[in-house]
Amino acid sequence: MKKLLCSLFAVALLTGCGTSSNDEKTIRIGASVTPHAEIIESVVPSLEAQGYKVEITQFTDYNTPNKALLEGSLDANYFQHAPYLEEWLKDAGKEGELVNVFSVHFEPLGIYSSKHQDLIVSNGAKIAIPNDATNGGRALKLLEAQGIIDLKDGVGIDATISDIENNPKSVEIVPMQAENCARNLQDVDYAVVNGNNALNANISDKLLINEASESEAAKTYANIIAVQKGHENDEKIQALIQALNSEEVKTFIEKNYGDIVVPLVPSA
């Protein structure tokens, strides 16, 4: 999706995306709509009390936020995990130019259904999984953890459908774009869905089981704050990190998103 949304918050008036002056007391951050921008909004009063102006630009795609950060129209972005950032930079020929400075939360993949109340999977059940390499492997590992399929020995979260060694229920694995796993829930028996996509599609009540918070995925796919290399220790970036690394943010996440978003703050 290429469309870019510029949102107006009480904390910042954006007359155009990325057009604000590069002021040391202005923090320009790009974020996905849910939950990222909402989490940033929650810390605005704390940052304002320190004299900062916060400009939040909402994005609905996974490409533009890194471009904007590279171009300098943003000071930071918050929408991705580190493996995605590394892959995006490699594909763009910009390796090392953006860096991960802080982990805020983890969005577990979950198994959802609008047709079934449990994970007693019948023969031939149709299960949608994300078709991108990162989330597809995670989805297969989650299905394996529930005893639905068996993967080849030693296969990690980079598993592919060709790594399925045993499929006792002859389930049909249907890869599709990650956001469509949520949107097309009614067309399949089960779908493996990212937390943010579940929130956006309003299917949180259809959750049957999540990735474990202590899983390999939880350690790997934390959602991060990214900045340009060399700006990690800028005063305003450190102020943003400090504001996010709080019990208040932990409480905000738990209260508003339940099991769909897992806070990783405060951290040591």
Side-chain angles (χ1 to χ4, degrees):
M1 188 185 312
K2 300 298 183 183
K3 186 177 180 182
L4 171 65
L5 300 179
C6 291
S7 294
L8 176 63
F9 291 90
V11 300
L13 178 61
L14 301 180
T15 57
C17 295
T19 60
S20 303
S21 62
N22 187 20
D23 184 89
E24 290 183 0
K25 282 296 188 178
T26 299
I27 303 174
R28 303 162 304 161
I29 183 164
S32 296
V33 179
T34 302
H36 307 76
E38 295 163 354
I39 294 171
I40 296 297
E41 274 195 282
S42 77
V43 302
V44 166
S46 171
L47 290 165
E48 287 184 324
Q50 300 175 59
Y52 290 99
K53 177 184 178 182
V54 182
E55 296 179 351
I56 307 171
T57 304
Q58 293 188 5
F59 294 89
T60 60
D61 74 296
Y62 284 0
N63 192 40
T64 314
N66 282 332
K67 285 185 175 180
L69 186 55
L70 280 171
E71 293 165 358
S73 58
L74 296 174
D75 298 305
N77 68 34
Y78 174 38
F79 75 100
Q80 64 192 327
H81 49 60
Y84 179 85
L85 174 63
E86 292 167 7
E87 182 179 358
W88 190 94
L89 290 169
K90 182 178 180 180
D91 290 344
K94 301 290 185 179
E95 289 178 89
E97 294 189 28
L98 302 179
V99 294
N100 165 17
V101 294
F102 188 65
S103 298
V104 183
H105 75 269
F106 167 60
E107 294 176 11
L109 281 185
I111 301 176
Y112 295 76
S113 180
S114 60
K115 296 180 178 179
H116 306 283
Q117 302 298 315
D118 52 44
L119 267 174
I120 302 175
V121 179
S122 59
N123 288 330
K126 186 179 294 187
I127 305 176
I129 68 169
N131 65 0
D132 59 285
T134 297
N135 291 311
R138 288 172 65 190
L140 292 171
K141 291 293 289 184
L142 181 57
L143 295 177
E144 181 183 46
Q146 301 309 310
I148 298 170
I149 59 172
D150 293 315
L151 297 170
K152 296 175 183 175
D153 287 344
V155 174
I157 51 180
D158 57 351
T160 67
I161 289 177
S162 64
D163 292 314
I164 297 175
E165 189 168 67
N166 188 29
N167 185 356
K169 296 286 188 179
S170 299
V171 298
E172 180 184 355
I173 306 294
V174 185
M176 60 181 69
Q177 290 186 341
E179 60 270 25
N180 288 337
C181 290
R183 294 172 183 165
N184 298 328
L185 185 61
Q186 71 282 356
D187 298 327
V188 295
D189 291 287
Y190 303 94
V192 184
V193 181
N194 303 73
N196 63 321
N197 289 325
L199 289 169
N200 290 331
N202 295 313
I203 62 167
S204 300
D205 61 325
K206 309 300 182 184
L207 175 66
L208 299 179
I209 195 161
N210 261 338
E211 285 174 316
S213 58
E214 67 275 9
S215 68
E216 180 184 359
K219 299 172 185 176
T220 305
Y221 296 109
N223 280 226
I224 62 170
I225 301 292
V227 303
Q228 284 188 0
K229 184 175 178 59
H231 291 272
E232 301 95 318
N233 295 315
D234 286 3
E235 184 177 305
K236 61 185 174 182
I237 298 302
Q238 290 302 308
L240 175 63
I241 292 171
Q242 183 179 6
L244 288 166
N245 192 30
S246 67
E247 284 288 344
E248 289 76 15
V249 170
K250 179 177 184 289
T251 299
F252 176 87
I253 292 172
E254 290 174 340
K255 178 180 178 181
N256 287 279
Y257 309 114
D259 294 334
I260 305 298
V261 180
V262 178
L264 299 176
V265 295
S267 63

